[in-house]
Amino acid sequence: MAATIRFETEGNKLLLIVHQSDAANAVSAEELKRAFDHSEFCNARLIDRSIFTQAANQLAERSATQHAFHLHIAHLDDATLDVSIDDDQMEAVALVTAPNGGKALGFADIINQLKALGVTSGIRRQAIEALIEHTKHGVPGSSLSHRVARGRKPVNGLNARFKPLVDDARKRILRPQEREDGTVDMRNLGELISVHNGQPLLEKLPPTKGRDGFTVKGEVLKASDGEDKPMKPGEGSDFDPENPSILVATRLGLPSFSENSVQVDEVLTMKSVDVSTGHVDFQGSVIITENVGEGMRVTASGDITVGGYVDSAHLIAKGNITVSKGIIGKQLNDNEDYTEEVPELSTEINAQGTIWCAYAQYALLDGTRGIIADKQLTHCHVITNGALCIGGEGRNARGKLIGGLIETSADIYTGQLGAPAGSRTQIVFSLPTQETEQDRELKALKQQLASQVELLKKVSRGKEQLATISDPVKRKAYASRLLDSLKTTQKQIALLRGKIEKLRNTPVEHEVIRTFVNRQAFPGSVFKYNDKLLRIKEKRNATLVLLEDTELRMDVLR
């Protein structure tokens, strides 16, 4: 007669129970193990790997008349759940461990644990179901984690925006045209952009509402709504009578945009400017299809576009200046090395926007927003707060910068710097003129100091009033208050002066200013910042010069 093998639970314990008669054969460890593997408790965690061998040995030592054999052989471990919430309460992550013969987790188990921790928002049902599935069918004792709740960051509304409906005529010169083969033709600047009366120019997009966020604990994270800003008509534009959110042109001309406004510059078109036409001073943009002759001056409140050459002339524009061919000048004094004074040059080009030309020699080029030359600049005096690009931009620049003086607070891109003959090429860096946090702090300290100095003067004038107080007690009290004010003010002045001095001695923080020389740099090239100099003393291949943390340094351009 065979022995009877069964299993029972006692709390989280699994008991092996064997009933054995006199006629029964001895029960082997293999039989016990086989019965366990085929039971519903097969995933329980065994106390010992040899527990069935131990049980078989103990059974062999017993007599059949004894009561049923009981032995604790395994633990029944329920699935575990651990929930963690990050510091900003934007995520809750649950880690579950599959049971060893114990109970799996249900949906309510996880939800109740989240509620106990205060997690009520952003709960992800799909993630919870995946965790439950793991506790039912995963490898016993294995773990799985999922983000079970996720907060939502607040999204601030967008401020009022202004969408140009046509291209900006002033930016057109900065956009050389692409050829059919994908290369760029630096000489072809595209057609001139013009608009007609009634043409829509600028559309206002209203501000949007913000969307509040929340934490997983249900705390509302307030978002701010976008701010409104009015749209303003400029000269030559007005509101569309049928749509107040759109500005339209009121005349034929060239459009130019600021953030919330657009103006339309009138256009004056001329064949050339020379002694037969006289100087030109025009409120709007000027297009000269051919050349500007020697000694002539052209002034425009908009852009100036020249289809030919500028020779020993003066161009002044509040917008951009484009010279499709060359800018030619000559030196009016004998100083060629730019050491004692800046040479006087016969050609001056001044633009509050950008200057573009094919090439220039012996010319003053003052372009606030940047200067672009297609081929080269030779012995020019350049002043700009924008990028100087010669023959391209970045590593694509292949033009030549030979001789002259460059004053800039921005990057320079060129293929060649200087010349084999050692032409002196001087580059003077300055820091961008926009106000920094350090400037604002210094300004505030100076204002505080001025207020304290003024207060000190008032306190000093108070000494004169002492003689007018006849009552000794009142005079003594007044003198005491006066002395306290004097000491406090003097102490405050000393403290502010110390802060100002410390701030003045703090190194200026600024963006790195770079000069990319993509092919060759020759001796005679000098970089300068304040009293610091960096000279190129030998011919170099591709070179990078940087002004970083107010220090000049040179490196190989890789």
mmCIF file of all heavy atoms in Angstrom, residues 248-289:
data_model
loop_
_atom_site.group_PDB
_atom_site.id
_atom_site.type_symbol
_atom_site.label_atom_id
_atom_site.label_comp_id
_atom_site.label_asym_id
_atom_site.label_seq_id
_atom_site.Cartn_x
_atom_site.Cartn_y
_atom_site.Cartn_z
ATOM 1 N N VAL A 248 -1.662 96.192 -42.794
ATOM 2 C CA VAL A 248 -1.519 96.151 -44.250
ATOM 3 C C VAL A 248 -0.707 97.352 -44.708
ATOM 4 O O VAL A 248 -0.578 98.357 -44.004
ATOM 5 C CB VAL A 248 -2.902 96.156 -44.936
ATOM 6 C CG1 VAL A 248 -3.695 94.914 -44.570
ATOM 7 C CG2 VAL A 248 -3.671 97.421 -44.574
ATOM 8 N N ALA A 249 -0.122 97.223 -45.895
ATOM 9 C CA ALA A 249 0.649 98.328 -46.472
ATOM 10 C C ALA A 249 -0.290 99.428 -46.945
ATOM 11 O O ALA A 249 -1.379 99.154 -47.465
ATOM 12 C CB ALA A 249 1.490 97.823 -47.631
ATOM 13 N N THR A 250 0.140 100.667 -46.764
ATOM 14 C CA THR A 250 -0.639 101.800 -47.271
ATOM 15 C C THR A 250 0.068 102.478 -48.440
ATOM 16 O O THR A 250 -0.398 103.505 -48.927
ATOM 17 C CB THR A 250 -0.882 102.825 -46.152
ATOM 18 O OG1 THR A 250 0.382 103.274 -45.639
ATOM 19 C CG2 THR A 250 -1.686 102.214 -45.019
ATOM 20 N N ARG A 251 1.190 101.875 -48.886
ATOM 21 C CA ARG A 251 1.900 102.437 -50.037
ATOM 22 C C ARG A 251 2.818 101.369 -50.610
ATOM 23 O O ARG A 251 3.102 100.351 -49.973
ATOM 24 C CB ARG A 251 2.694 103.677 -49.646
ATOM 25 C CG ARG A 251 3.826 103.414 -48.656
ATOM 26 C CD ARG A 251 4.419 104.711 -48.162
ATOM 27 N NE ARG A 251 5.513 104.494 -47.217
ATOM 28 C CZ ARG A 251 6.008 105.443 -46.435
ATOM 29 N NH1 ARG A 251 5.522 106.681 -46.484
ATOM 30 N NH2 ARG A 251 7.011 105.185 -45.612
ATOM 31 N N LEU A 252 3.283 101.605 -51.802
ATOM 32 C CA LEU A 252 4.254 100.728 -52.448
ATOM 33 C C LEU A 252 5.624 100.967 -51.824
ATOM 34 O O LEU A 252 6.022 102.101 -51.591
ATOM 35 C CB LEU A 252 4.303 101.020 -53.951
ATOM 36 C CG LEU A 252 5.324 100.227 -54.772
ATOM 37 C CD1 LEU A 252 4.921 98.767 -54.850
ATOM 38 C CD2 LEU A 252 5.434 100.821 -56.174
ATOM 39 N N GLY A 253 6.348 99.876 -51.505
ATOM 40 C CA GLY A 253 7.678 100.067 -50.945
ATOM 41 C C GLY A 253 8.261 98.776 -50.405
ATOM 42 O O GLY A 253 7.802 97.670 -50.716
ATOM 43 N N LEU A 254 9.311 98.922 -49.589
ATOM 44 C CA LEU A 254 10.042 97.787 -49.024
ATOM 45 C C LEU A 254 9.646 97.601 -47.564
ATOM 46 O O LEU A 254 9.776 98.533 -46.761
ATOM 47 C CB LEU A 254 11.549 98.014 -49.115
ATOM 48 C CG LEU A 254 12.121 98.291 -50.509
ATOM 49 C CD1 LEU A 254 13.620 98.469 -50.423
ATOM 50 C CD2 LEU A 254 11.778 97.154 -51.460
ATOM 51 N N PRO A 255 9.166 96.405 -47.168
ATOM 52 C CA PRO A 255 8.751 96.188 -45.781
ATOM 53 C C PRO A 255 9.933 95.861 -44.875
ATOM 54 O O PRO A 255 10.874 95.174 -45.275
ATOM 55 C CB PRO A 255 7.810 94.983 -45.893
ATOM 56 C CG PRO A 255 8.367 94.199 -47.044
ATOM 57 C CD PRO A 255 8.911 95.221 -48.014
ATOM 58 N N SER A 256 9.872 96.367 -43.652
ATOM 59 C CA SER A 256 10.859 96.004 -42.633
ATOM 60 C C SER A 256 10.126 95.903 -41.301
ATOM 61 O O SER A 256 9.236 96.683 -41.011
ATOM 62 C CB SER A 256 12.002 97.023 -42.561
ATOM 63 O OG SER A 256 11.507 98.305 -42.227
ATOM 64 N N PHE A 257 10.521 94.919 -40.478
ATOM 65 C CA PHE A 257 9.767 94.561 -39.286
ATOM 66 C C PHE A 257 10.548 94.831 -38.017
ATOM 67 O O PHE A 257 11.770 94.645 -37.957
ATOM 68 C CB PHE A 257 9.407 93.067 -39.332
ATOM 69 C CG PHE A 257 8.502 92.687 -40.463
ATOM 70 C CD1 PHE A 257 9.028 92.365 -41.713
ATOM 71 C CD2 PHE A 257 7.132 92.649 -40.296
ATOM 72 C CE1 PHE A 257 8.200 92.020 -42.768
ATOM 73 C CE2 PHE A 257 6.291 92.293 -41.340
ATOM 74 C CZ PHE A 257 6.824 91.980 -42.575
ATOM 75 N N SER A 258 9.830 95.274 -36.989
ATOM 76 C CA SER A 258 10.283 95.139 -35.615
ATOM 77 C C SER A 258 9.367 94.096 -34.994
ATOM 78 O O SER A 258 8.537 93.509 -35.687
ATOM 79 C CB SER A 258 10.195 96.476 -34.874
ATOM 80 O OG SER A 258 8.858 96.935 -34.846
ATOM 81 N N GLU A 259 9.471 93.860 -33.700
ATOM 82 C CA GLU A 259 8.711 92.754 -33.115
ATOM 83 C C GLU A 259 7.204 92.900 -33.336
ATOM 84 O O GLU A 259 6.537 91.968 -33.772
ATOM 85 C CB GLU A 259 8.995 92.649 -31.617
ATOM 86 C CG GLU A 259 8.264 91.488 -30.964
ATOM 87 C CD GLU A 259 8.293 91.529 -29.454
ATOM 88 O OE1 GLU A 259 8.798 92.519 -28.891
ATOM 89 O OE2 GLU A 259 7.784 90.592 -28.833
ATOM 90 N N ASN A 260 6.658 94.060 -33.030
ATOM 91 C CA ASN A 260 5.204 94.225 -33.076
ATOM 92 C C ASN A 260 4.760 95.311 -34.052
ATOM 93 O O ASN A 260 3.677 95.856 -33.934
ATOM 94 C CB ASN A 260 4.667 94.556 -31.680
ATOM 95 C CG ASN A 260 5.205 95.883 -31.161
ATOM 96 O OD1 ASN A 260 6.281 96.305 -31.550
ATOM 97 N ND2 ASN A 260 4.464 96.532 -30.289
ATOM 98 N N SER A 261 5.630 95.617 -35.011
ATOM 99 C CA SER A 261 5.311 96.677 -35.958
ATOM 100 C C SER A 261 5.978 96.391 -37.299
ATOM 101 O O SER A 261 6.878 95.549 -37.397
ATOM 102 C CB SER A 261 5.779 98.035 -35.409
ATOM 103 O OG SER A 261 5.437 99.094 -36.286
ATOM 104 N N VAL A 262 5.504 97.088 -38.313
ATOM 105 C CA VAL A 262 6.106 96.983 -39.644
ATOM 106 C C VAL A 262 6.005 98.348 -40.305
ATOM 107 O O VAL A 262 5.018 99.071 -40.126
ATOM 108 C CB VAL A 262 5.399 95.904 -40.495
ATOM 109 C CG1 VAL A 262 3.925 96.178 -40.634
ATOM 110 C CG2 VAL A 262 6.045 95.781 -41.876
ATOM 111 N N GLN A 263 7.047 98.703 -41.010
ATOM 112 C CA GLN A 263 6.998 99.934 -41.788
ATOM 113 C C GLN A 263 7.313 99.614 -43.241
ATOM 114 O O GLN A 263 7.968 98.612 -43.546
ATOM 115 C CB GLN A 263 7.978 100.965 -41.240
ATOM 116 C CG GLN A 263 9.453 100.629 -41.452
ATOM 117 C CD GLN A 263 10.354 101.714 -40.891
ATOM 118 O OE1 GLN A 263 10.174 102.148 -39.759
ATOM 119 N NE2 GLN A 263 11.317 102.136 -41.687
ATOM 120 N N VAL A 264 6.812 100.447 -44.122
ATOM 121 C CA VAL A 264 7.057 100.276 -45.555
ATOM 122 C C VAL A 264 7.833 101.492 -46.039
ATOM 123 O O VAL A 264 7.324 102.617 -46.027
ATOM 124 C CB VAL A 264 5.735 100.134 -46.335
ATOM 125 C CG1 VAL A 264 6.019 99.987 -47.828
ATOM 126 C CG2 VAL A 264 4.943 98.934 -45.818
ATOM 127 N N ASP A 265 9.080 101.245 -46.385
ATOM 128 C CA ASP A 265 9.922 102.337 -46.851
ATOM 129 C C ASP A 265 9.650 102.619 -48.326
ATOM 130 O O ASP A 265 9.567 101.694 -49.145
ATOM 131 C CB ASP A 265 11.410 101.970 -46.681
ATOM 132 C CG ASP A 265 11.802 101.837 -45.227
ATOM 133 O OD1 ASP A 265 11.220 102.537 -44.391
ATOM 134 O OD2 ASP A 265 12.691 101.006 -44.925
ATOM 135 N N GLU A 266 9.521 103.880 -48.635
ATOM 136 C CA GLU A 266 9.413 104.253 -50.043
ATOM 137 C C GLU A 266 10.742 103.980 -50.734
ATOM 138 O O GLU A 266 11.802 103.966 -50.106
ATOM 139 C CB GLU A 266 9.040 105.725 -50.164
ATOM 140 C CG GLU A 266 7.635 106.027 -49.675
ATOM 141 C CD GLU A 266 7.244 107.464 -49.915
ATOM 142 O OE1 GLU A 266 7.985 108.344 -49.442
ATOM 143 O OE2 GLU A 266 6.223 107.697 -50.554
ATOM 144 N N VAL A 267 10.693 103.764 -52.027
ATOM 145 C CA VAL A 267 11.887 103.373 -52.782
ATOM 146 C C VAL A 267 12.209 104.428 -53.834
ATOM 147 O O VAL A 267 11.335 104.832 -54.614
ATOM 148 C CB VAL A 267 11.671 102.003 -53.456
ATOM 149 C CG1 VAL A 267 12.928 101.596 -54.227
ATOM 150 C CG2 VAL A 267 11.324 100.941 -52.430
ATOM 151 N N LEU A 268 13.475 104.861 -53.826
ATOM 152 C CA LEU A 268 13.974 105.759 -54.865
ATOM 153 C C LEU A 268 14.917 104.948 -55.746
ATOM 154 O O LEU A 268 15.895 104.380 -55.247
ATOM 155 C CB LEU A 268 14.716 106.941 -54.241
ATOM 156 C CG LEU A 268 15.466 107.849 -55.218
ATOM 157 C CD1 LEU A 268 14.485 108.552 -56.158
ATOM 158 C CD2 LEU A 268 16.307 108.869 -54.459
ATOM 159 N N THR A 269 14.635 104.879 -57.029
ATOM 160 C CA THR A 269 15.470 104.127 -57.955
ATOM 161 C C THR A 269 16.218 105.100 -58.873
ATOM 162 O O THR A 269 15.615 105.986 -59.476
ATOM 163 C CB THR A 269 14.618 103.168 -58.809
ATOM 164 O OG1 THR A 269 13.913 102.282 -57.933
ATOM 165 C CG2 THR A 269 15.492 102.343 -59.731
ATOM 166 N N MET A 270 17.546 104.904 -58.950
ATOM 167 C CA MET A 270 18.393 105.771 -59.781
ATOM 168 C C MET A 270 19.356 104.896 -60.581
ATOM 169 O O MET A 270 19.725 103.797 -60.157
ATOM 170 C CB MET A 270 19.189 106.744 -58.902
ATOM 171 C CG MET A 270 18.341 107.580 -57.967
ATOM 172 S SD MET A 270 19.357 108.664 -56.931
ATOM 173 C CE MET A 270 20.049 109.762 -58.169
ATOM 174 N N LYS A 271 19.791 105.418 -61.718
ATOM 175 C CA LYS A 271 20.757 104.674 -62.518
ATOM 176 C C LYS A 271 22.125 104.750 -61.889
ATOM 177 O O LYS A 271 22.821 103.730 -61.765
ATOM 178 C CB LYS A 271 20.796 105.231 -63.948
ATOM 179 C CG LYS A 271 21.745 104.471 -64.857
ATOM 180 C CD LYS A 271 21.709 105.021 -66.285
ATOM 181 C CE LYS A 271 22.689 104.251 -67.169
ATOM 182 N NZ LYS A 271 22.696 104.784 -68.559
ATOM 183 N N SER A 272 22.564 105.950 -61.498
ATOM 184 C CA SER A 272 23.876 106.126 -60.872
ATOM 185 C C SER A 272 23.840 107.411 -60.056
ATOM 186 O O SER A 272 22.920 108.225 -60.172
ATOM 187 C CB SER A 272 24.990 106.186 -61.922
ATOM 188 O OG SER A 272 24.777 107.285 -62.799
ATOM 189 N N VAL A 273 24.879 107.566 -59.208
ATOM 190 C CA VAL A 273 25.019 108.799 -58.434
ATOM 191 C C VAL A 273 26.394 109.373 -58.760
ATOM 192 O O VAL A 273 27.423 108.741 -58.502
ATOM 193 C CB VAL A 273 24.877 108.535 -56.923
ATOM 194 C CG1 VAL A 273 25.118 109.813 -56.140
ATOM 195 C CG2 VAL A 273 23.492 107.970 -56.597
ATOM 196 N N ASP A 274 26.399 110.576 -59.322
ATOM 197 C CA ASP A 274 27.663 111.233 -59.655
ATOM 198 C C ASP A 274 27.423 112.737 -59.625
ATOM 199 O O ASP A 274 26.399 113.208 -59.122
ATOM 200 C CB ASP A 274 28.187 110.751 -61.015
ATOM 201 C CG ASP A 274 27.146 110.867 -62.127
ATOM 202 O OD1 ASP A 274 26.271 111.757 -62.016
ATOM 203 O OD2 ASP A 274 27.189 110.080 -63.081
ATOM 204 N N VAL A 275 28.335 113.481 -60.179
ATOM 205 C CA VAL A 275 28.208 114.948 -60.125
ATOM 206 C C VAL A 275 26.972 115.448 -60.868
ATOM 207 O O VAL A 275 26.460 116.533 -60.591
ATOM 208 C CB VAL A 275 29.479 115.618 -60.694
ATOM 209 C CG1 VAL A 275 30.663 115.380 -59.784
ATOM 210 C CG2 VAL A 275 29.785 115.118 -62.106
ATOM 211 N N SER A 276 26.476 114.652 -61.786
ATOM 212 C CA SER A 276 25.299 115.082 -62.531
ATOM 213 C C SER A 276 24.012 114.959 -61.710
ATOM 214 O O SER A 276 23.020 115.639 -61.981
ATOM 215 C CB SER A 276 25.156 114.263 -63.824
ATOM 216 O OG SER A 276 24.878 112.907 -63.528
ATOM 217 N N THR A 277 23.996 114.073 -60.714
ATOM 218 C CA THR A 277 22.799 113.883 -59.876
ATOM 219 C C THR A 277 22.912 114.622 -58.548
ATOM 220 O O THR A 277 21.910 114.973 -57.933
ATOM 221 C CB THR A 277 22.580 112.395 -59.573
ATOM 222 O OG1 THR A 277 23.695 111.891 -58.816
ATOM 223 C CG2 THR A 277 22.443 111.602 -60.862
ATOM 224 N N GLY A 278 24.167 114.846 -58.104
ATOM 225 C CA GLY A 278 24.379 115.414 -56.786
ATOM 226 C C GLY A 278 24.207 114.375 -55.692
ATOM 227 O O GLY A 278 23.918 113.193 -55.949
ATOM 228 N N HIS A 279 24.394 114.817 -54.436
ATOM 229 C CA HIS A 279 24.229 113.910 -53.309
ATOM 230 C C HIS A 279 22.771 113.493 -53.184
ATOM 231 O O HIS A 279 21.855 114.202 -53.605
ATOM 232 C CB HIS A 279 24.681 114.573 -52.008
ATOM 233 C CG HIS A 279 26.124 114.979 -52.017
ATOM 234 N ND1 HIS A 279 27.140 114.129 -52.364
ATOM 235 C CD2 HIS A 279 26.736 116.175 -51.706
ATOM 236 C CE1 HIS A 279 28.294 114.741 -52.264
ATOM 237 N NE2 HIS A 279 28.070 115.998 -51.884
ATOM 238 N N VAL A 280 22.555 112.358 -52.556
ATOM 239 C CA VAL A 280 21.202 111.826 -52.368
ATOM 240 C C VAL A 280 20.915 111.714 -50.871
ATOM 241 O O VAL A 280 21.691 111.109 -50.126
ATOM 242 C CB VAL A 280 21.048 110.444 -53.028
ATOM 243 C CG1 VAL A 280 19.664 109.860 -52.731
ATOM 244 C CG2 VAL A 280 21.278 110.540 -54.520
ATOM 245 N N ASP A 281 19.805 112.310 -50.439
ATOM 246 C CA ASP A 281 19.347 112.195 -49.046
ATOM 247 C C ASP A 281 17.865 111.874 -49.106
ATOM 248 O O ASP A 281 17.043 112.723 -49.432
ATOM 249 C CB ASP A 281 19.604 113.499 -48.295
ATOM 250 C CG ASP A 281 19.365 113.354 -46.796
ATOM 251 O OD1 ASP A 281 18.726 112.354 -46.396
ATOM 252 O OD2 ASP A 281 19.796 114.222 -46.024
ATOM 253 N N PHE A 282 17.505 110.615 -48.797
ATOM 254 C CA PHE A 282 16.141 110.159 -49.063
ATOM 255 C C PHE A 282 15.545 109.476 -47.840
ATOM 256 O O PHE A 282 16.207 108.661 -47.166
ATOM 257 C CB PHE A 282 16.145 109.180 -50.249
ATOM 258 C CG PHE A 282 14.783 108.764 -50.693
ATOM 259 C CD1 PHE A 282 13.929 109.656 -51.318
ATOM 260 C CD2 PHE A 282 14.339 107.458 -50.486
ATOM 261 C CE1 PHE A 282 12.663 109.270 -51.731
ATOM 262 C CE2 PHE A 282 13.084 107.065 -50.899
ATOM 263 C CZ PHE A 282 12.246 107.981 -51.525
ATOM 264 N N GLN A 283 14.265 109.802 -47.542
ATOM 265 C CA GLN A 283 13.524 109.142 -46.475
ATOM 266 C C GLN A 283 12.877 107.882 -47.044
ATOM 267 O O GLN A 283 11.769 107.897 -47.556
ATOM 268 C CB GLN A 283 12.462 110.088 -45.903
ATOM 269 C CG GLN A 283 13.018 111.257 -45.135
ATOM 270 C CD GLN A 283 13.801 110.799 -43.913
ATOM 271 O OE1 GLN A 283 13.321 110.007 -43.107
ATOM 272 N NE2 GLN A 283 15.009 111.299 -43.780
ATOM 273 N N GLY A 284 13.584 106.783 -46.969
ATOM 274 C CA GLY A 284 13.137 105.519 -47.533
ATOM 275 C C GLY A 284 14.349 104.731 -47.979
ATOM 276 O O GLY A 284 15.460 104.936 -47.487
ATOM 277 N N SER A 285 14.150 103.824 -48.907
ATOM 278 C CA SER A 285 15.240 103.002 -49.418
ATOM 279 C C SER A 285 15.651 103.482 -50.803
ATOM 280 O O SER A 285 14.821 103.975 -51.570
ATOM 281 C CB SER A 285 14.815 101.531 -49.482
ATOM 282 O OG SER A 285 14.578 101.035 -48.177
ATOM 283 N N VAL A 286 16.925 103.316 -51.110
ATOM 284 C CA VAL A 286 17.482 103.793 -52.374
ATOM 285 C C VAL A 286 18.063 102.610 -53.141
ATOM 286 O O VAL A 286 18.823 101.810 -52.580
ATOM 287 C CB VAL A 286 18.570 104.858 -52.131
ATOM 288 C CG1 VAL A 286 19.202 105.282 -53.456
ATOM 289 C CG2 VAL A 286 18.003 106.055 -51.384
ATOM 290 N N ILE A 287 17.704 102.498 -54.407
ATOM 291 C CA ILE A 287 18.263 101.482 -55.290
ATOM 292 C C ILE A 287 19.017 102.193 -56.406
ATOM 293 O O ILE A 287 18.435 102.999 -57.145
ATOM 294 C CB ILE A 287 17.170 100.578 -55.881
ATOM 295 C CG1 ILE A 287 16.424 99.850 -54.755
ATOM 296 C CG2 ILE A 287 17.773 99.568 -56.851
ATOM 297 C CD1 ILE A 287 15.234 99.052 -55.245
ATOM 298 N N ILE A 288 20.316 101.913 -56.526
ATOM 299 C CA ILE A 288 21.159 102.498 -57.570
ATOM 300 C C ILE A 288 21.601 101.346 -58.458
ATOM 301 O O ILE A 288 22.329 100.452 -58.014
ATOM 302 C CB ILE A 288 22.364 103.228 -56.959
ATOM 303 C CG1 ILE A 288 21.864 104.333 -56.006
ATOM 304 C CG2 ILE A 288 23.269 103.802 -58.031
ATOM 305 C CD1 ILE A 288 22.895 104.809 -55.022
ATOM 306 N N THR A 289 21.140 101.329 -59.696
ATOM 307 C CA THR A 289 21.366 100.162 -60.550
ATOM 308 C C THR A 289 22.809 100.035 -61.027
ATOM 309 O O THR A 289 23.250 98.936 -61.341
ATOM 310 C CB THR A 289 20.420 100.194 -61.766
ATOM 311 O OG1 THR A 289 20.630 101.414 -62.480
ATOM 312 C CG2 THR A 289 18.969 100.114 -61.307
#
